[in-house]
Amino acid sequence: MNEAVRNPAKPTPGPTKGPIIEIENLSISFFTRKGEIPAVMDFSCTVMPGEAMGIVGESGCGKSTVSLGIMRDLSNIGKIVGGKIKFQGKDMGELSDEELRSIRGNKIAMIYQEPMASLNPAMKVGQQLMEVPLIHDKVSKEEAYKRALDMVRSVKLPDPERMMRSYPHQLSGGQQQRIVIAMALLSKPALLLLDEPTTALDVTVEAGIVDLVKGLGEKFGTSMIFVSHNLGLILETCDRITVMYSGEAVETGKIKDVFDRMRHPYTQGLFRSIPLPGADKNSRPLISIPGQLPLPHERPKGCNFGPRCHHFVEGVCNAAEIPMIEVAGHEGHFSRCVRFNEIDWEALPPGAKKVNERVMPGAPVLKIEDLRKYYRVGGSEVFGSSEGRVVKANETISFMARESETVAIVGESGCGKSTLAKVLLGLETASAGTVTLGNTEIQSTGIDKRSVDTVSSIQMVFQNPFDTLNPSHSVGSQIIRTLEKFNVGKTVADRRKRMLELLDLVKLPRAFETRKPRQLSGGQKQRIGVARAFAGDAKVVVADEPVSALDVSVQAAVTELLMDIQRKNKTTMLFISHDLSVVRYIADRVVVMYLGYIVEQGTTDQIFAPPYHPYTEALLSAIPIADTSVVKKHIVLEGDIPSAMNPPSGCPFQTRCGYKKLVPDNLCETKVPPVKHLGDGHMSLCWLSDDVLAKMEPVIKFDKEHAAHEGMPDDASHGDGPGFAGTPPKRPRGKRPS
Amino acid sequence: MPVQYISGFTVVFEVLSRFWPVWIALVIVMGASFAYKKKLALYGQLFDSGVGIVGVGICLFWLFTAIFAATISPFDPLAQIPIMKDVLPGAVEPQSGLTYLFGGDKLARDVFSRMVYGSQIVLIIAPAATGFALMVGITLGLPAGYYGGKIDTVLSFLANLVLAFPVILLFYLLVTPGIMDTPIPYGMAGVFFLFPIIFFSVLFWTRYKNRPDRLYILLGITLILGGWIYLGLVFDKDPLHIVHIDPNQLNIFVAVVFASSPGVFRIVRGLVMDIKTRDYVAAAQTRGESPWYIMLWEILPNARGPLIVDACLRIGYTTILLGTLGYFGLGLAPESPDWGTAIKDASRLLRSFIHPALPPTIALMSFVLGLNLLADSLREQSMKD
């Protein structure tokens, strides 16, 4: 029922020149207690030698199942129920277990999300690497060592000999992932499967891995299947893309075709819900996809996306199962939508076009001055050893947040942002400095000593939606408990009424009162988390990566919700994040942290335009942006974030900074730089002189003669609405011509 | 007058038919559980696997046997009928015409009746002692895991001390008559039985502090009920003379609680250390909840899975422990029908008569096996989703 997506330039089949892998109408089901659950249906794709195919989709769409299916590594309950996988022309279904084993790890290698799970913690890295040629190629030990060492060098790890001698736990996450990649490449595979290889890593480390992966195709001629939820990453690494939704491929084609002229409403919905440069919380808010992913056994008839699609037409979209339909004018571009020629791709969904008034920040609510937080570590409790080291988690933190302002705190893991949140909320007390909330100093009052008023006026939204609600209590009782704690309402009935109002506020049905958290989706749980934080009319809400664990389409909805409530309540929001795209969209002011220091702060416009702090510049460059018209300056930081236990001397960033040579007298390595005022409250912690700063170029630029418009078919209209396809994006908010 | 025997087949048939109240109860309970398994959460899921059904079945079997012991057993477990000394299974007692189904032991008592009554002792002491051990372990394990630091160091050290001491030796010490005459057992009972009262009082106090209407009722019930049982168990001064425990049994009880609470303590401590890193605990802290509220209402409910499994296994261990104690003749009265004492009695004459030893051994084994199967299946089902 479905045309396989073939490369038109496909030569006659043969093991060398033909496609590396051909998947035809693959269907995979899991057989559980509740019966058969189809996980992947009718999935087809072809990967040519040296080509990189990206598979993108939200959690539960079946993208990982496809990659496991290729490896034939479905657990005992998973089964391929239909279709064929041909690897180098051979049908893998007909191979014996023996033959499959010789293909796995030898011709097809897989790289998983969690590097530590793929490495044996009890073996030295070198031994593990040497095993690959020893087993697969039966070479001598010396030869194996030589090959392993060469490979460690080619994945750009520093000090390869030392790496070979270390145990996996002695390496950082980024280094571990490089070792895993090296191990996969040692057997010279024809196909590399990467399942979210960078999701567990920090942004600047991710950029390094992406850089490495990109070169693999050219250097080793390896084909890749890159599974990710991040459209930006796919854009940077792949040649072609397949978008999956609810177990089906819904659109596939060349990166440029799909990104600039998508022909499936789901793909468009995805692009509209991620904060690309050009989105603006006031004039051009994000548009989220309504509803949620259908459960595998509750999929609708016809188009799976139908119930959430605003182009849905009764009797057309749900009449029969929909095949992949070729898009005219593009090679290899297919969409699983029957109406893509009738849809006005510029039209916004009804009710989506809204313009919010810009809220002016009011009086300062939260003032932090010279805050420090040191931890003493080491020394055993029992036999009280006197040796202990001091970890400086926060150093000289000073900033201010006004009423109804959003201040973003940006930084990677270990930068001290979570410690800062803990001090603000009273879970820890500060070592020095002051934190003023309203008129009271709260830096040294722990949570148990704070008044109910103070406690309820500074609250938190947590990162992990699966962890933020207690799985043992019903949703309603958890909110009511919070109200009780904050002395809201006098009677039980009062509090219940208020709880129902809060459910309305976060746009959840009142019936959720009696639900247990496990019956809720990630986005719904996060909404409950928001309701709980706002239960006591909080003045300051600390949101710790509130959307980073959510799916793209849900992220937009939760972000909008947070901002709506903030607007209504005039709340001050501290938005902790590592994702600068979201930060640019949501924040009024930005604070960039690195290793406990604030390295740069200013308004969003100031931060996203030169002059930058070198770290901010690297962060900006590291973030994958899912927009083909964006040209980024390419900066990849070397090394990893130093440990807070053993910080570098002088400037915290000096070990990775590319500008160090421009500063005279080796100042960077000896002295902590002074805070440099760049005007209008823009501050930077850097030794760089004014003329170097003035010469900095913007990291993100738009290519005016955007290449995607070459060969644009006639049916793609050039509107100037906020649709993404075919419209050159406006310059992002905050970019001033420099 | 020679003793008459009935055939082996009739013995089997008789045994099965004597258990009739157990079969009826089993059919009703298992049938109902099976019919409503969708609504019974974890308990209902047990009925999805063969192992679970067998486990529940065996445990319920012994539970109902203990309940209906008086109906099932044909004889008084302590009655001696001289003519029946060491008779083989299937011997008919001439006066009443009833059969010694599993034969008679060296004191001419009915082995079958003793096995049936033995289940009563095991099924009262083992779960109750495990329950108290749970209370003690939880109440001490929660703060040790949650606060860490000095409290943890001290409590863990104490737990290790108890765990490091040989269990049998410990029992010998605790249950020897010399020690039994001192106030030590009663003192320990006084301490251990205080824990449930403290536990429930703190549980209700932390939850309903701001809602006096509920708080006073619940606290009142806890204190009155707890105090009443406490008076009866520890001081034997129950004004209504309902709650009473033999000094011997109290001793065993205390010894078992003492030996198994460190195990529970360690499990709870480990679970708490894991769960306290969750965001919902941080959320509770940021809204200013007291530490004991967080421990009892945020952490403990989420530790229940492993604790239930552990409790099942622990009842099994305790049953074996009771058997061991009985075997050494510790604690319980020498004529008591409990399985351990019965095995000890029979083992003296094992070479000449094997039949008095088998029924209590098989009973003990099957009950522990049932509990282990139940625990296994619980663990498997709770891991599934």
Side-chain angles (χ1 to χ4, degrees):
Chain A
M1 63 189 272
N2 173 25
E3 302 89 324
V5 182
R6 277 177 230 283
N7 195 319
K10 183 183 148 200
T12 45
T16 44
K17 285 189 175 170
I20 290 291
I21 194 154
E22 275 181 281
I23 304 175
E24 281 171 31
N25 310 340
L26 179 72
S27 297
I28 298 173
S29 288
F30 288 102
F31 294 87
T32 66
R33 269 205 291 235
K34 286 173 189 138
E36 181 182 347
I37 292 175
V40 174
M41 292 163 305
D42 193 22
F43 179 88
S44 303
C45 87
T46 308
V47 182
M48 302 302 289
E51 192 181 47
M53 164 67 95
I55 299 180
V56 77
E58 296 177 278
S59 54
C61 72
K63 55 189 193 301
S64 291
T65 313
V66 168
S67 63
L68 290 173
I70 294 172
M71 287 295 262
R72 301 241 155 198
D73 184 20
L74 301 159
S75 59
N76 48 359
I77 57 165
K79 229 180 177 172
I80 295 180
V81 289
K84 255 190 226 166
I85 302 174
K86 272 195 196 162
F87 179 71
Q88 293 183 327
K90 276 181 274 178
D91 186 350
M92 288 181 73
E94 289 165 10
L95 297 180
S96 66
D97 279 356
E98 191 94 350
E99 288 169 302
L100 272 176
R101 223 173 297 139
S102 75
I103 288 182
R104 278 189 210 130
N106 196 6
K107 291 184 176 158
I108 306 180
M110 187 146 180
I111 292 165
Y112 297 91
Q113 177 174 344
E114 199 56 63
M116 201 53 203
S118 314
L119 294 170
N120 183 345
M123 262 166 92
K124 285 187 178 160
V125 164
Q127 271 175 298
Q128 299 189 44
L129 288 171
M130 279 160 64
E131 258 189 2
V132 181
L134 281 175
I135 291 171
H136 285 299
D137 299 340
K138 311 260 184 313
V139 297
S140 68
K141 270 204 161 172
E142 292 73 38
E143 172 68 15
Y145 182 81
K146 213 183 114 271
R147 285 196 201 173
L149 194 66
D150 284 349
M151 193 51 80
V152 172
R153 259 192 214 109
S154 58
V155 292
K156 294 172 199 155
L157 277 167
D159 202 354
E161 279 91 2
R162 190 178 59 81
M163 286 292 157
M164 296 279 283
R165 283 196 308 273
S166 2
Y167 284 101
H169 69 265
Q170 295 169 316
L171 311 180
S172 70
Q175 289 170 337
Q176 285 171 1
Q177 195 63 292
R178 279 171 199 261
I179 293 287
V180 174
I181 292 174
M183 205 187 294
L185 290 175
L186 264 175
S187 58
K188 304 183 200 80
L191 178 69
L192 198 57
L193 289 170
L194 300 112
D195 192 350
E196 308 254 7
T198 58
T199 311
L201 304 174
D202 270 319
V203 203
T204 53
V205 181
E206 174 184 80
I209 300 279
V210 166
D211 209 38
L212 175 69
V213 167
K214 248 196 298 194
L216 292 180
E218 293 150 31
K219 204 164 160 191
F220 298 93
T222 319
S223 305
M224 279 189 288
I225 293 184
F226 195 104
V227 177
S228 180
H229 66 280
N230 188 331
L231 283 164
L233 269 183
I234 300 278
L235 170 68
E236 292 199 356
T237 49
C238 298
D239 308 310
R240 292 198 296 128
I241 180 176
T242 301
V243 182
M244 287 190 73
Y245 179 78
S246 192
E248 292 177 326
V250 291
E251 187 165 8
T252 180
K254 283 189 183 161
I255 290 280
K256 258 182 195 155
D257 295 340
V258 176
F259 273 60
D260 294 333
R261 201 176 140 246
M262 67 283 288
R263 279 298 171 264
H264 195 283
Y266 174 64
T267 318
Q268 189 181 40
L270 273 187
F271 278 97
R272 281 181 171 167
S273 53
I274 48 178
L276 291 170
D280 183 293
K281 70 171 165 180
N282 295 317
S283 59
R284 274 172 59 187
L286 300 181
I287 303 161
S288 57
I289 305 175
Q292 49 179 309
L293 200 70
L295 293 171
H297 47 89
E298 288 170 5
R299 288 186 183 124
K301 191 169 182 254
C303 179
N304 282 343
F305 188 60
R308 298 174 73 184
C309 181
H310 62 272
H311 301 298
F312 181 78
V313 173
E314 181 68 37
V316 178
C317 295
N318 59 357
E321 294 304 316
I322 296 161
M324 292 292 263
I325 299 164
E326 187 158 15
V327 178
H330 285 165
E331 58 174 60
H333 189 175
F334 292 83
S335 164
R336 202 183 284 274
C337 177
V338 278
R339 297 192 63 237
F340 70 75
N341 281 325
E342 307 155 26
I343 292 173
D344 174 11
W345 289 97
E346 304 302 324
L348 286 174
K353 181 146 187 150
K354 62 170 184 186
V355 174
N356 295 311
E357 250 176 67
R358 204 190 155 90
V359 182
M360 292 316 287
V365 175
L366 185 72
K367 252 188 274 179
I368 297 166
E369 263 165 65
D370 205 25
L371 180 78
R372 287 156 208 256
K373 174 68 196 170
Y374 297 165
Y375 289 99
R376 189 170 289 281
V377 292
S380 138
E381 279 289 339
V382 197
F383 304 105
S385 93
S386 55
E387 238 181 288
R389 272 191 294 179
V390 171
V391 172
K392 299 179 175 178
N394 283 163
E395 269 280 8
T396 59
I397 303 283
S398 304
F399 69 94
M400 190 171 72
R402 298 164 189 279
E403 190 187 71
S404 51
E405 188 180 41
T406 306
V407 177
I409 299 169
V410 180
E412 295 174 278
S413 56
C415 74
K417 50 194 198 293
S418 301
T419 306
L420 177 62
K422 276 185 186 163
V423 173
L424 293 180
L425 287 156
L427 298 180
E428 303 274 359
T429 51
S431 308
T434 58
V435 177
T436 321
L437 176 70
N439 295 318
T440 38
E441 288 197 359
I442 56 169
Q443 73 277 1
S444 45
T445 6
I447 186 91
D448 46 335
K449 296 195 186 71
R450 290 189 181 182
S451 68
V452 174
D453 233 25
T454 314
V455 169
S456 65
S457 62
I458 180 159
Q459 277 295 300
M460 182 147 176
V461 179
F462 291 88
Q463 174 176 14
N464 188 347
F466 300 95
D467 227 23
T468 181
L469 299 181
N470 191 327
S472 300
H473 303 307
S474 74
V475 164
S477 73
Q478 298 197 42
I479 300 181
I480 288 181
R481 176 71 197 178
T482 312
L483 294 171
E484 216 174 281
K485 225 33 223 174
F486 293 166
N487 297 340
V488 178
K490 284 201 179 61
T491 61
V492 179
D494 267 5
R495 291 189 199 114
R496 186 164 172 267
K497 196 170 143 258
R498 174 81 183 125
M499 181 268 294
L500 292 174
E501 285 167 12
L502 280 167
L503 283 179
D504 295 343
L505 179 74
V506 294
K507 301 191 179 96
L508 287 177
R510 288 189 166 199
F512 275 31
E513 180 192 358
T514 52
R515 297 258 183 112
K516 283 278 170 66
R518 68 182 142 80
Q519 294 164 298
L520 270 54
S521 71
Q524 289 167 340
K525 283 184 206 176
Q526 206 57 319
R527 282 167 191 262
I528 302 288
V530 171
R532 199 172 52 184
F534 284 93
D537 286 325
K539 286 201 200 87
V540 178
V541 169
V542 180
D544 186 0
E545 311 238 8
V547 296
S548 67
L550 300 176
D551 275 321
V552 176
S553 67
V554 184
Q555 271 185 13
V558 174
T559 312
E560 291 301 320
L561 173 78
L562 260 177
M563 288 191 306
D564 277 352
I565 301 177
Q566 186 198 13
R567 255 185 214 111
K568 218 180 288 169
N569 295 10
K570 300 201 164 167
T571 320
T572 305
M573 187 149 68
L574 294 187
F575 191 90
I576 299 178
S577 180
H578 68 275
D579 184 350
L580 281 173
S581 324
V582 179
V583 166
R584 170 174 28 213
Y585 176 70
I586 197 171
D588 302 308
R589 283 196 311 117
V590 181
V591 172
V592 183
M593 285 182 74
Y594 188 80
L595 267 189
Y597 287 88
I598 292 183
V599 293
E600 188 175 3
Q601 64 171 304
T603 61
T604 311
D605 295 357
Q606 287 164 346
I607 295 290
F608 283 84
Y612 305 106
H613 184 279
Y615 176 63
T616 316
E617 188 184 27
L619 258 188
L620 276 172
S621 149
I623 284 158
I625 296 172
D627 189 333
T628 51
S629 65
V630 165
V631 180
K632 280 197 305 187
K633 192 169 156 192
H634 192 68
I635 303 166
V636 174
L637 288 181
E638 274 174 29
D640 289 299
I641 306 165
S643 152
M645 297 270 278
N646 188 16
S649 61
C651 171
F653 189 57
Q654 55 107 338
T655 51
R656 302 169 79 193
C657 185
Y659 288 92
K660 205 161 79 174
K661 55 185 181 292
L662 300 179
V663 177
D665 302 336
N666 212 5
L667 273 172
C668 294
E669 287 179 26
T670 49
K671 269 192 187 159
V672 179
V675 176
K676 201 180 182 82
H677 290 267
L678 301 166
D680 287 342
H682 186 190
M683 285 179 258
S684 172
L685 196 75
C686 193
W687 281 113
L688 284 179
S689 60
D690 289 335
D691 49 319
V692 179
L693 289 176
K695 269 188 237 156
M696 279 188 173
E697 285 171 6
V699 174
I700 300 167
K701 274 189 289 199
F702 284 95
D703 192 355
K704 287 250 173 61
E705 274 81 56
H706 175 31
H709 298 297
E710 287 169 15
M712 172 73 73
D714 298 333
D715 64 325
S717 60
H718 286 257
D720 49 9
F724 282 80
T727 319
K730 291 170 185 147
R731 287 184 74 73
R733 198 171 81 83
K735 276 284 165 235
R736 289 170 304 188
S738 48
Chain B
M1 189 167 62
V3 178
Q4 304 273 317
Y5 285 92
I6 56 172
S7 72
F9 174 78
T10 333
V11 170
V12 174
F13 180 77
E14 275 276 306
V15 168
L16 292 180
S17 61
R18 289 241 55 124
F19 278 113
W20 66 268
V22 175
W23 303 132
I24 293 175
L26 263 183
V27 167
I28 293 172
V29 173
M30 299 283 272
S33 313
F34 213 82
Y36 297 105
K37 71 175 182 185
K38 290 260 157 59
K39 290 181 189 161
L40 290 169
L42 188 59
Y43 172 72
Q45 285 173 20
L46 286 175
F47 290 84
D48 285 343
S49 71
V51 174
I53 295 176
V54 173
V56 174
I58 296 177
C59 292
L60 284 179
F61 173 84
W62 285 113
L63 178 68
F64 292 132
T65 306
I67 294 173
F68 300 117
T71 326
I72 298 166
S73 55
F75 294 93
D76 177 356
L78 301 180
Q80 305 180 0
I81 301 167
I83 193 179
M84 306 300 282
K85 186 177 175 217
D86 290 333
V87 290
L88 292 175
V92 182
E93 201 266 316
Q95 262 178 0
S96 60
L98 292 168
T99 317
Y100 266 34
L101 288 166
F102 290 160
D105 64 5
K106 65 172 178 172
L107 292 174
R109 294 169 299 197
D110 179 21
V111 173
F112 178 74
S113 302
R114 286 177 69 73
M115 181 197 80
V116 170
Y117 268 99
S119 68
Q120 269 190 342
I121 297 173
V122 170
L123 268 113
I124 290 172
I125 295 188
T130 308
F132 277 99
L134 269 180
M135 285 287 131
V136 177
I138 289 173
T139 318
L140 297 177
L142 284 174
Y146 186 76
Y147 292 111
K150 291 247 160 56
I151 299 177
D152 182 26
T153 313
V154 171
L155 288 174
S156 294
F157 185 72
L158 289 178
N160 286 338
L161 267 188
V162 178
L163 284 174
F165 207 83
V167 181
I168 293 299
L169 204 58
L170 191 76
F171 281 107
Y172 260 108
L173 283 177
L174 282 174
V175 197
T176 31
I179 300 232
M180 273 162 79
D181 295 338
T182 65
I184 292 177
Y186 279 94
M188 284 173 72
V191 174
F192 287 147
F193 294 166
L194 216 50
F195 275 98
I197 303 179
I198 297 175
F199 178 84
F200 282 107
S201 303
V202 177
L203 187 75
F204 295 134
W205 168 255
T206 49
R207 180 77 174 85
Y208 297 110
K209 220 186 308 184
N210 297 346
R211 285 170 63 183
D213 51 325
R214 279 251 187 123
L215 177 70
Y216 293 137
I217 297 171
L218 288 167
L219 267 189
I221 293 174
T222 310
L223 291 178
I224 291 169
L225 212 66
W228 175 46
I229 296 173
Y230 191 80
L231 271 183
L233 291 181
V234 181
F235 300 107
D236 204 7
K237 287 200 178 108
D238 173 18
L240 304 171
H241 298 290
I242 299 172
V243 183
H244 166 76
I245 186 166
D246 267 352
N248 271 340
Q249 289 193 348
L250 180 76
N251 230 322
I252 285 245
F253 203 89
V254 169
V256 170
V257 173
F258 186 67
S260 57
S261 39
V264 181
F265 166 85
R266 293 187 72 100
I267 290 175
V268 172
R269 173 178 169 269
L271 287 169
V272 172
M273 283 163 84
D274 172 28
I275 296 174
K276 78 169 174 183
T277 60
R278 304 287 164 86
D279 278 350
Y280 53 80
V281 173
Q285 286 169 339
T286 56
R287 63 171 189 261
E289 297 286 7
S290 67
W292 277 99
Y293 175 87
I294 295 174
M295 286 182 239
L296 290 169
W297 289 95
E298 300 281 342
I299 295 178
L300 190 59
N302 297 304
R304 67 179 186 273
L307 278 180
I308 291 172
V309 174
D310 176 68
C312 278
L313 289 173
R314 205 163 282 282
I315 295 175
Y317 300 149
T318 312
T319 310
I320 293 177
L321 201 60
L322 286 176
T324 319
L325 289 180
Y327 188 83
F328 286 119
L330 291 174
L332 297 170
E335 76 279 4
S336 139
D338 74 287
W339 296 337
T341 313
I343 295 171
K344 177 197 69 177
D345 288 348
S347 69
R348 306 269 154 87
L349 298 166
L350 209 54
R351 289 215 188 150
S352 14
F353 301 104
I354 199 169
H355 66 265
L358 284 180
T361 317
I362 293 170
L364 184 82
M365 205 180 75
S366 70
F367 180 52
V368 176
L369 180 72
L371 283 166
N372 286 2
L373 291 180
L374 184 66
D376 259 7
S377 158
L378 274 173
R379 185 183 354 232
E380 203 169 290
Q381 297 299 332
S382 61
M383 296 241 278
K384 264 190 188 162
D385 30 35

